[in-house]
């Protein structure tokens, strides 16, 4: 019997109970590994547990954004809309947790602060902020790519006396804005989804915008029984298409128009025809031209049409002008999709504050003071995003071999082999880590692929009496070089692009492109080939 000071022992410690951590429990159980999930929130769901702001919903068809590992689960679950809203996705997460009795292996309200590897014992010891300790040969970080909220360091932030909300830490009790003056900072996906809903009830909504975004209509709609039945009969085919696609999407029967790049170049299509296509196919037509994603001049032509579109929807000329993205290309950030975003700015109770012209000077006890005006409101909402991809990992003090700290190893940007491991940190795995397709894909597909690869790897080690696996430095260096090489030449890395993919949204964060552009299908093949070659590029001991 361990004494009360001894850490609790498992085969695997998992951090995070989002869709990644949940599936890992199921995988560990099916392969005979004991595991525990440590989660700082009070229940499962991760992203969908935390981001409860009005309007939060999937940006891809939810049918595709669902687990594929259990055919019965697929058949018994009915999605009500094409792009399910947060409450429905969280209900799905809870359903999965109940159905597979996942909470039995989970500890909630438990935040991990440190993890260190003992080379002699070949074990990770994980410590929580409450001082509890857990140990296991394997540690899996399922901590999420978009789970550390970003609070901008704006002068006077602490002085604000009204109600403060962050889209990524939204309260569990209903929040209403009836009769309230609201200010929101940010115009990324979270803001663009929530602004139309908040505007419905707020007395007045001030939108503080630093960079206007390119957003496209979500084309969301309720699903019919006929469509659901068709999908249910064809799930296997859809999953196969997803797994071998570029972005983890089959676009099975839906969204055919969005982001399907054709052969034709925008520079070869005359202006009138471009406009005709826009009128017929909407904004997604702009991303279908072959050259828009790779040639800045072609991209600028698409952006001109985009801006014309904004001018056509937004009545007030100054507001329309403020909402027009300029100086960075379409496609350099994750595509934002919206419901009636631009139309919302035609309401009398919504106004935009263009911070490019009138920057924030400070946050005051009653609101925001820009360089030329004072704005007062009852509620201040931060829709300011995340310290993405590395934030949650670097928050944990992770000590690997020879006492090296992961956050020091990553001080100039994350370095991984396949986004799965970092050299110097044996038996430490990441789910959708930097260097994998991750946030460039339908995350559910990438999550399942990683959870399966990692747990299969642990079973391989166990079955062959290996105690440790560690990415080698040459394999890691080669992979980092490859990740950079495939990203260059795309809109994702051009100098004018300041995306969170590049860490550019967090002051002081190194500017390094973090996800892998090479595609979900190619990446899966590569991971499978590595495993088939007895984990080539990893040292087994
Ligand atoms: P998460 O869901 O982020 O879960 C990680 C968990 O780890 C969190 O619950 C967190 O509390 C916990 N954790 C982190 N650090 C610690 C610690 N130190 N100790 C204890 N617990 C810790 N992706 C898509 O593909 N399509 C979409 O439409 C889409 N929509 C999104 C909408 C929003 C608002 C956001 C923020 C993201 C969206 N994403 C979307 C990305 C989304 O994050 C992933 O799809 C997916 O939910 C990630 O699951 P995960 O389990 O890997 O991470
Ligand atoms: P985000 O895209 O990073 O947007 C943050 C916004 O806050 C930006 O407009 C940013 O302006 C602004 N901001 C940050 N600091 C600021 C400051 N100091 N002053 C003024 N403005 C400031 O974050 P997000 O909207 O939460 O989205 C992040 C990602 O989460 C998305 O890209 C997507 O992957 C995922 N997501 C998906 C959905 C969905 O549709 N399913 C919804 C929400 C989120 P700048 O651009 O100028 O920095």
């Amino acid at each position: 019997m361990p004494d009360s000071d001894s850490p609790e022992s498992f085969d695997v410690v998992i951090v995070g109970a989002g869709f990644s951590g949940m599936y890992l429990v199921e995988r560990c159980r099916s392969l005979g590994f004991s595991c525990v999930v440590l989660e700082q929130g009070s229940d499962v769901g991760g992203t969908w547990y935390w981001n409860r702001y009005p309007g939060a919903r999937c940006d891809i068809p939810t049918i595709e954004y669902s687990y594929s590992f259990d055919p019965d689960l697929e058949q018994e679950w009915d999605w009500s809309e094409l792009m399910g809203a947060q409450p429905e996705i969280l209900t799905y997460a809870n359903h999965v947790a109940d159905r597979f009795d996942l909470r039995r292996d989970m500890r909630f309200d438990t935040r991990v602060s440190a993890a260190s590897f003992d080379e002699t014992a070949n074990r990770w010891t994980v410590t929580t902020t409450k001082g509890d300790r857990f140990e296991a040969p394997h540690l899996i970080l399922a901590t999420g790519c978009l789970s550390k909220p970003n609070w901008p360091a704006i002068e006077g932030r602490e002085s604000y006396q009204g109600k403060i909300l962050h889209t990524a830490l939204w309260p569990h009790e209903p929040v209403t804005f009836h009769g309230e003056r609201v200010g929101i900072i940010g115009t990324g996906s979270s803001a663009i989804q929530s602004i139309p809903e908040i505007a419905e009830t707020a007395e007045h909504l001030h939108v503080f915008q630093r960079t206007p975004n390119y957003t496209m209509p979500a084309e969301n709609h309720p699903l019919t029984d006929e469509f659901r039945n068709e999908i249910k009969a064809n799930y296997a085919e859809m999953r196969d298409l997803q797994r071998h696609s570029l972005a983890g999407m089959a676009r099975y029967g839906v969204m055919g128009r969005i982001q399907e790049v054709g052969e034709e170049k925008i520079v070869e299509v005359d202006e009138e025809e471009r406009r005709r296509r826009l009128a017929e196919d909407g904004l997604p037509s702009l991303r279908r031209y072959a050259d828009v994603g790779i040639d800045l001049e072609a991209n600028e032509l698409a952006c001109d049409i985009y801006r014309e579109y904004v001018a056509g929807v937004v009545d007030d000329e100054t507001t329309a002008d403020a909402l027009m993205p300029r100086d960075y290309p379409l496609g350099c950030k994750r595509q934002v999709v919206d419901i009636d975003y631009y139309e919302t700015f035609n309401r009398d109770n919504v106004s935009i504050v263009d911070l490019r012209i009138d920057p924030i000077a400070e946050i005051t006890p009653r609101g925001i003071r820009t360089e030329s005006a004072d704005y007062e409101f009852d509620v201040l909402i931060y829709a300011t995003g995340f310290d993405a991809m590395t934030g949650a990992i670097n928050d944990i003090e992770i000590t690997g071999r020879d006492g090296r700290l992961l956050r020091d190893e990553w001080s100039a940007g994350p370095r991984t082999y396949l986004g799965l491991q970092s050299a110097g940190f044996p038996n430490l795995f990441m789910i959708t880590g930097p260097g994998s397709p991750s946030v460039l894909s339908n995350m559910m597909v990438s999550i399942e692929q990683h959870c399966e690869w990692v747990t299969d790897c642990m079973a391989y080690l166990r079955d062959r009496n290996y105690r440790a696996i560690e990415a080698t430095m040459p394999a890691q260096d080669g992979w980092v070089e490859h990740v950079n090489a495939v990203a260059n030449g795309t809109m994702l890395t051009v100098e004018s692009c300041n995306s969170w993919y590049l860490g550019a949204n967090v002051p002081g964060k190194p500017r390094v492109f973090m996800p892998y552009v090479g595609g979900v299908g190619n990446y899966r093949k590569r991971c499978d080939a590595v495993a088939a070659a007895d984990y080539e590029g990893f040292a087994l001991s």
Side-chain angles (χ1 to χ4, degrees):
M1 278 289 281
D3 63 53
S4 58
D5 289 338
S6 302
E8 277 186 74
S9 233
F10 298 88
D11 294 327
V12 192
V13 173
I14 298 158
V15 189
F19 282 129
S20 300
M22 292 169 65
Y23 184 37
L24 283 168
V25 172
E26 176 58 17
R27 288 289 299 175
C28 284
R29 284 184 191 162
S30 66
L31 291 166
F33 292 111
S34 64
C35 69
V36 66
V37 173
L38 308 175
E39 165 60 54
Q40 63 189 345
S42 302
D43 209 339
V44 296
T47 287
W48 306 102
Y49 169 88
W50 295 106
N51 293 263
R52 297 169 188 240
Y53 60 82
R57 64 173 64 245
C58 225
D59 59 6
I60 54 174
T62 331
I63 276 187
E64 299 220 25
Y65 184 80
S66 60
Y67 284 122
S68 73
F69 69 84
D70 187 291
D72 293 338
L73 173 64
E74 288 180 334
Q75 293 301 318
E76 74 199 13
W77 186 264
D78 286 327
W79 292 104
S80 67
E81 292 178 280
L82 179 64
M83 290 161 162
Q86 174 273 334
E88 188 173 19
I89 303 173
L90 186 59
T91 304
Y92 173 75
N94 279 296
H95 169 73
V96 174
D98 292 342
R99 193 184 189 286
F100 297 96
D101 190 17
L102 300 180
R103 293 188 187 84
R104 172 158 60 88
D105 290 320
M106 293 180 169
R107 310 284 169 89
F108 297 107
D109 304 305
T110 304
R111 179 172 167 79
V112 170
S113 50
S116 70
F117 187 67
D118 178 335
E119 286 168 62
T120 319
N122 202 62
R123 290 182 94 70
W124 282 95
T125 300
V126 174
T127 311
T128 72
T129 49
K130 290 184 263 185
D132 298 330
R133 289 183 307 139
F134 300 82
E135 62 160 34
H138 297 286
L139 171 60
I140 309 179
L141 300 177
T143 42
C145 294
L146 296 159
S147 58
K148 180 181 177 183
N150 175 41
W151 291 96
I154 301 173
E155 179 86 19
R157 204 184 89 198
E158 306 302 328
S159 71
Y160 182 68
Q161 301 289 307
K163 185 170 186 173
I164 297 173
L165 298 170
H166 194 300
T167 47
L169 294 167
W170 203 259
H172 289 204
E173 62 279 5
V175 179
T176 59
F177 298 104
H178 288 279
E180 295 200 290
R181 298 163 305 164
V182 182
I184 186 166
I185 303 178
T187 46
S189 292
S190 303
I192 287 176
Q193 285 189 328
S194 55
I195 284 167
E197 301 239 352
I198 296 167
E200 289 284 330
T201 57
E203 183 187 304
H204 196 92
L205 175 63
H206 276 110
V207 178
F208 292 86
Q209 172 197 264
R210 192 165 60 182
T211 312
N213 234 310
Y214 297 98
T215 169
M216 303 204 171
E219 303 186 24
N220 185 38
H221 53 76
L223 294 181
T224 60
D225 281 340
E226 192 191 354
F227 181 75
R228 273 192 291 265
N229 290 339
E230 193 190 319
I231 292 276
K232 283 185 183 181
N234 291 290
Y235 256 125
E237 182 197 2
M238 187 186 90
R239 301 304 190 187
D240 195 53
L241 283 168
Q242 287 182 320
R243 288 181 192 128
H244 299 100
S245 66
L246 185 69
M249 298 275 296
R251 302 196 173 90
Y252 186 82
V254 287
M255 287 182 77
R257 302 187 319 173
I258 293 185
Q259 290 177 20
E260 228 171 56
V261 178
E263 306 264 296
E264 206 170 25
K265 293 183 172 173
I266 196 168
V267 292
E268 288 164 1
V269 175
D270 68 45
E271 250 183 86
E272 204 182 316
E273 177 59 12
R274 284 179 215 147
R275 291 206 177 95
R276 194 195 62 73
R277 289 186 194 178
L278 180 78
E280 200 166 281
D281 285 352
L283 287 173
S285 67
L286 300 178
R287 296 201 62 169
R288 291 176 62 189
Y289 296 105
D291 47 354
V292 166
I294 49 172
D295 174 352
L296 267 177
E297 240 172 81
N299 196 284
E300 190 50 23
L301 283 179
C303 295
D304 283 341
I305 299 182
Y306 185 94
R307 288 185 284 266
E308 265 180 49
Y309 169 88
V310 176
V313 180
V314 180
D315 298 339
D316 177 68
E317 224 175 282
T318 314
T319 305
D321 195 58
L323 286 164
M324 289 175 190
R326 290 189 175 86
D327 307 327
Y328 75 96
L330 175 68
C332 98
K333 302 182 181 183
R334 183 161 176 126
Q335 183 61 58
V336 180
V337 296
D338 73 271
I339 298 175
D340 293 340
Y341 178 63
Y342 290 122
E343 289 79 356
T344 301
F345 288 90
N346 292 333
R347 298 177 64 112
D348 291 339
N349 68 333
V350 177
S351 37
I352 190 140
V353 181
D354 187 347
L355 303 177
R356 291 172 302 180
I357 296 172
D358 189 15
I360 294 180
E362 62 172 341
I363 293 180
T364 67
R366 288 161 181 250
I368 288 180
R369 179 175 304 132
T370 60
E371 284 184 359
S372 65
D374 245 318
Y375 299 89
E376 291 191 358
F377 26 75
D378 309 299
V379 187
L380 172 56
I381 302 174
Y382 288 85
T384 45
F386 302 87
D387 181 351
M389 303 211 71
T390 52
I393 295 177
N394 282 339
D395 263 3
I396 304 173
E397 183 159 294
I398 299 172
T399 314
R401 229 172 3 84
D402 308 322
R404 61 181 83 176
L405 270 182
L406 186 63
R407 64 168 85 105
D408 287 349
E409 300 290 309
W410 286 10
S411 59
R415 297 188 71 80
T416 71
Y417 179 39
L418 297 168
L420 284 160
Q421 273 208 337
S422 197
F425 299 83
N427 293 3
L428 172 66
F429 297 97
M430 287 161 274
I431 303 300
T432 65
S436 71
S438 182
V439 288
L440 292 176
S441 68
N442 169 358
M443 290 285 277
M444 277 299 234
V445 175
S446 293
I447 284 170
E448 285 196 332
Q449 185 249 338
H450 263 193
C451 292
E452 287 159 15
W453 193 96
V454 168
T455 47
D456 284 346
C457 171
M458 294 186 325
Y460 178 99
L461 300 177
R462 176 188 60 193
D463 296 347
R464 287 161 186 78
N465 290 320
Y466 286 117
R467 283 159 53 86
I469 181 165
E470 181 185 337
T472 66
M473 203 52 95
Q476 176 167 293
D477 290 345
W479 184 251
V480 170
E481 206 176 298
H482 174 62
V483 169
N484 289 329
V486 290
N488 288 336
T490 68
M491 292 302 133
L492 296 158
T493 52
V494 295
E495 221 179 306
S496 56
C497 183
N498 286 316
S499 68
W500 56 259
Y501 293 148
L502 286 156
N505 64 326
V506 175
K509 195 165 168 172
R511 188 182 164 95
V512 172
F513 187 76
M514 294 183 279
Y516 177 55
V517 188
V520 160
N522 290 335
Y523 173 79
R524 174 184 293 271
K525 267 192 227 151
R526 179 70 181 253
C527 290
D528 288 350
V530 163
D534 295 321
Y535 294 89
E536 189 180 19
F538 291 93
L540 310 186
S541 55

